[in-house]
Amino acid sequence: MTEFPKNFLWGGATAANQYEGAWDVDGKGASTADMLLGGTYEKPRTFTKEIKPGAYYPSHQGSDFYHHYKEDIKLLAGMGYKTYRMSVAWTRIFPNGDDAEPNQKGLDFYRSVFEECHKYGIEPLVTISHYEMPYHLTETYGGWGNRKVIDFYVKYAETLFNEYKGLVKYWLTFNEINIGMLFGGYMSLGLPAKDGAAPFSGKMSDEEIQANLQGLHHQFVASALAVKIGHKINADNMIGCMIAGQVSYPLTSNPDDVLKAQLTNEINNYYCGDVQVRGAYPHFAQRYWDEHNVKLNITAEDAEVLKEGTVDYYTFSYYSSSTVTADPSKAENAGNFSMGVKNPYLKYSEWGWSMDPKGLRWYLNDVYGRYGIPVMVVENGLGARDTVEADGSINDDYRIDYLKGHIEQMKEAIKDGVDLIGYTPWGCIDLVSAGTGQMAKRYGFVYVDRDDDGKGDFSRTPKKSYYWYKKVIESNGEKLENK
Ligand code: BG6
């Protein structure tokens, strides 16, 4: 294969809590994401135990997809999208998480969204849980730390599989499940947090690692059960995992740096990938647990479920790479959730994320070589500030350059023999940043009039990259020039 396959799934991606808004409309309950205030690169977002009157919570309005979905899907269709990755807000379906019956208005909303996609021949790709869960489950049950939450999730997933049979075929069980072990805490595991805390853990104690890994184990079991049920409900369902692709290079050829990079890649990517694709914890897990005094409660039944509920395809996000060293005297640099040292060969974005298209080729080869199942890049992109010119145009050449470089490397990976089936760049229509809560960190092909203080009328304007990406899709990845 030397070019993109004919049925390649070109598209884009969003998530409900960053995009949908209407956080308390038509019976929707509060999610963990709805309790997060905005932040900046320098100042982390914070969690509040109650909604503070007058404070600005970015997820509450997002980009108001709830009231703009017809316009938005038409815009995506205008670029020729084959697929649209989005997430369902658990709290729109089960407002508290432990409700006996689903919320009909929530079910109806997503049915209309999926029908609208099909009107244009766009295949929905649905993330069942993307960085949010019913806040009630955190408060009352302790989030994913509690085994009972598995049953609530499974009931939710089963409801979706039944309800949208024939409308949705591609599913992802959890977004970036490995963030649960890398940064854990509130945002990805819904573990109870203190008022005013950041949603991600910083440097973790062994107790925190224990709590995160047990919560993560519950997510693995929930994911595997969902895969089993999803296949039973519809044998055509393609159910995948989603991993935050973390590429770690050794800073030097010193064997200590090389070993450190190997271990970092194993822990960051394969701890979760192996459980979800191979159905068992990898060989290096036991040593990691021992070194952090972790004792997991894994029942014999859990082990069986993990084996039976392996995924059909592997998806991941890729934004940047990190560089690690065993030398403690070297300064660390924050980037894409992980820490590392500065790579002298790479440029960095305003938010400190390295730009490394070749890292994507490396990762694609690495995961495909390990798992041998179809692979999809379901997030990629450059978070950057955009300027609206006097004539209303937005000339985001920097974004085009970034995406072009990554598409070129995907092409190389396909030549290398990787079975790459799709590409959905992140935040195809501008949305709230998960990490900082800002609107200013934009990824989209379409500009949304909204700022960090909640001002703006939500009007949509295609950027220069919109017309560029349209040509990329039309030519199936052949026309990449920016002209
Ligand atoms: C991924 C998440 O980690 O990165 C998205 O799945 C997120 O939810 C994206 O938005 C980009 O990160 P950020 O912090 O720039 O929004």
Side-chain angles (χ1 to χ4, degrees):
M1 181 72 64
T2 54
E3 53 194 23
F4 287 97
K6 241 181 35 217
N7 52 356
F8 191 75
L9 292 166
W10 295 99
T14 62
N17 77 85
Q18 295 167 250
Y19 183 47
E20 205 172 271
W23 76 291
D24 61 352
V25 172
D26 289 340
K28 183 184 169 296
S31 85
T32 43
D34 293 327
M35 314 304 286
L36 293 176
L37 296 167
T40 61
Y41 177 41
E42 294 80 21
K43 181 180 158 285
R45 305 185 71 175
T46 44
F47 155 80
T48 64
K49 260 182 124 46
E50 310 277 338
I51 299 292
K52 284 193 192 159
Y56 175 57
Y57 291 82
S59 72
H60 290 194
Q61 276 85 37
S63 298
D64 201 30
F65 175 68
Y66 196 75
H67 299 109
H68 288 77
Y69 70 94
K70 290 198 175 168
E71 179 187 352
D72 286 1
I73 294 167
K74 194 170 173 193
L75 280 162
L76 303 182
M79 282 182 275
Y81 273 33
K82 313 288 179 218
T83 190
Y84 167 41
R85 176 182 175 229
M86 52 172 282
S87 74
V88 168
W90 188 341
T91 47
R92 225 176 260 297
I93 309 298
F94 290 102
N96 298 297
D98 58 358
D99 318 69
E101 297 300 328
N103 170 30
Q104 190 57 46
K105 286 201 170 146
L107 293 174
D108 294 346
F109 170 67
Y110 292 109
R111 174 170 294 277
S112 308
V113 170
F114 301 144
E115 284 173 352
E116 200 64 21
C117 288
H118 284 293
K119 205 165 109 184
Y120 297 103
I122 297 175
E123 190 71 50
L125 161 55
V126 174
T127 316
I128 297 172
S129 175
H130 189 126
Y131 281 168
E132 61 175 331
M133 67 190 300
Y135 183 54
H136 174 74
L137 295 184
T138 291
E139 273 195 310
T140 312
Y141 298 88
W144 280 101
N146 189 332
R147 198 168 258 278
K148 267 200 196 138
V149 170
I150 298 175
D151 297 338
F152 300 134
Y153 173 91
V154 169
K155 181 172 169 183
Y156 161 54
E158 190 172 5
T159 304
L160 299 186
F161 292 137
N162 277 320
E163 185 70 26
Y164 303 122
K165 186 172 172 177
L167 279 175
V168 179
K169 175 178 158 195
Y170 290 97
W171 303 90
L172 302 174
T173 54
F174 287 93
N175 180 62
E176 294 190 335
I177 197 165
N178 51 331
I179 292 300
M181 73 178 298
L182 301 180
F183 298 92
Y186 178 77
M187 186 143 159
S188 97
L189 293 165
L191 301 182
K194 286 204 185 92
D195 202 56
F200 292 117
S201 314
K203 203 162 170 46
M204 285 183 274
S205 64
D206 282 355
E207 288 72 31
E208 283 170 310
I209 295 176
Q210 163 76 37
N212 288 339
L213 294 190
Q214 187 64 53
L216 187 62
H217 177 70
H218 295 150
Q219 287 191 333
F220 288 150
V221 174
S223 170
L225 286 168
V227 171
K228 284 178 67 176
I229 292 168
H231 285 154
K232 214 190 251 161
I233 292 173
N234 185 355
D236 287 343
N237 273 336
M238 288 280 289
I239 310 173
C241 61
M242 197 307 202
I243 305 283
Q246 307 281 305
V247 172
S248 293
Y249 299 128
L251 182 65
T252 70
S253 52
N254 180 331
D256 287 336
D257 281 0
V258 175
L259 275 170
K260 173 137 186 192
Q262 181 181 47
L263 182 65
T264 308
N265 285 314
E266 285 179 339
I267 296 296
N268 288 1
N269 302 313
Y270 298 135
Y271 182 94
C272 295
D274 280 16
V275 176
Q276 294 194 287
V277 181
R278 293 175 162 173
Y281 282 97
H283 71 279
F284 53 81
Q286 188 62 52
R287 179 168 182 176
Y288 186 70
W289 294 333
D290 292 346
E291 287 179 355
H292 295 284
N293 300 310
V294 168
K295 293 207 171 28
L296 292 187
N297 175 13
I298 304 173
T299 67
E301 202 190 334
D302 289 350
E304 202 49 39
V305 166
L306 294 182
K307 233 185 270 162
E308 292 166 357
T310 55
V311 294
D312 302 312
Y313 64 121
Y314 180 99
T315 80
F316 66 99
S317 58
Y318 176 80
Y319 292 91
S320 62
S321 62
S322 307
T323 301
V324 297
T325 173
D327 179 349
S329 68
K330 298 270 179 354
E332 290 201 321
N333 164 74
N336 203 14
F337 303 117
S338 57
M339 306 294 281
V341 293
K342 205 148 194 145
N343 185 331
Y345 299 99
L346 300 177
K347 292 207 175 88
Y348 287 76
S349 80
E350 185 187 329
W351 279 268
W353 295 19
S354 72
M355 292 181 259
D356 179 18
K358 287 184 180 155
L360 177 57
R361 178 179 176 188
W362 184 92
Y363 193 83
L364 280 164
N365 275 281
D366 202 48
V367 287
Y368 187 66
R370 189 173 183 99
Y371 299 130
I373 60 173
V375 180
M376 205 189 285
V377 182
V378 293
E379 283 185 35
N380 172 238
L382 177 69
R385 284 180 205 279
D386 289 330
T387 308
V388 183
E389 304 297 343
D391 64 357
S393 63
I394 298 132
N395 299 308
D396 54 342
D397 294 293
Y398 37 89
R399 184 166 295 111
I400 296 174
D401 285 351
Y402 177 100
L403 294 170
K404 177 174 177 281
H406 287 78
I407 296 173
E408 280 164 356
Q409 293 305 314
M410 291 191 318
K411 217 187 255 186
E412 290 302 319
I414 291 171
K415 283 190 201 162
D416 295 335
V418 174
D419 183 11
L420 177 62
I421 60 170
Y423 179 57
T424 58
W426 179 245
C428 44
I429 296 185
D430 286 344
L431 40 63
V432 169
S433 154
T436 68
Q438 292 169 294
M439 270 309 285
K441 191 181 185 192
R442 295 172 184 272
Y443 288 87
F445 299 109
V446 175
Y447 185 89
V448 174
D449 180 35
R450 183 81 171 164
D451 69 13
D452 291 342
D453 304 316
K455 291 194 206 78
D457 64 7
F458 292 119
S459 58
R460 274 67 171 146
T461 310
K463 305 178 192 175
K464 188 173 178 188
S465 56
Y466 180 94
Y467 303 101
W468 170 81
Y469 194 45
K470 182 175 160 46
K471 270 198 255 149
V472 172
I473 298 178
E474 249 165 30
S475 65
N476 200 26
E478 285 311 303
K479 288 200 180 134
L480 296 179
E481 300 73 39
N482 175 16
K483 45 177 189 199

